[in-house]
Amino acid sequence: MHLNMHDVYDEQGAVIDILSEWIQGHKKQIPLLSGLKLSNFHLHTQKDIVFTEKVPRGLYFSFVGSNAIETVEDIQSVQIHYQPQDQIGQFSMKKNEQRGLLQVLISTDYLSLVLGQTEEQVIQHFTNMERKLGNGLPYIQLPFTKSMENLCKSVLDHKGLSISLAGHLYSCLFTLIEQIQMLNHLSECEDCQSKLFKAQNILEVPNNNVFGLEELALAVGLNVDALSIGFKYLVGQSIEDYHKQRRIAFAAEKLRKDPQSKSNIIKQSGFSEEQFETIFTQHFGVNSNQYKQIH
């Protein structure tokens, strides 16, 4: 099935009735100032669909989730992309797939005024950073850090005037620009990279005393944002996901050797029984009882 995104939503941002059998979701767009726009999209497809959409030129700061983004807990990562010209693009979604997107679009000429730089300098900077830090992707990807979580909460909870919402968005954008600069430094600094690999080594032993993000940052000598951003860039996973996988793999190894101690193994893992089974199935493709039978 092929659809144009322009035809999916009605004027109120709800999915049109004729498509509601196959698509659920919403689109909320808030044009704040000339050159600055905030959008919140959610799509949940009930069949395989290819969407076509027009992508205007500008700088995109996208907060990405796997379902509707209503609170900061729904945001998983951040993507920054410079689109040099208007373009018609396509993306596909599988049956029962969901996507959430809280997105800020800002024009390069407007951002140049805010930053006190020429438009050419802004374009050159983001083009170079995307090429250098994209890891082969057409965008820069950052983890959703604790500092960004606090700033985005103000955006999602905002109920007042649009001018104050623009102020919250500026805080988000400036912080993300600083985080790009931080990532650029981390990608070049051997000393910082050795600290990041030290953090990875600590997480390799799940029963180590250092578990919390703040404690881990202190142990390796980096601030929390630098640790989160650099770890994602070098390892390809967030610290939280990597730590979770190491803990479940460590528990699985214990379970293989001593299946009768399952309840104690779950307790030592730090997960509740429900969390343990959910993460175990996600990681191994079978539940823990099936895993015991296989191994």
Side-chain angles (χ1 to χ4, degrees), residues 78-89:
V78 186
Q79 297 174 1
I80 299 100
H81 170 63
Y82 169 58
Q83 180 63 38
Q85 58 189 9
D86 294 353
Q87 183 174 314
I88 303 296

Side-chain angles (χ1 to χ4, degrees), residues 89-103:
Q90 289 187 335
F91 66 95
S92 59
M93 292 180 63
K94 298 292 186 181
K95 181 179 179 180
N96 293 326
E97 184 178 352
Q98 288 196 66
R99 290 188 185 183
L101 191 67
L102 181 69
Q103 189 173 73

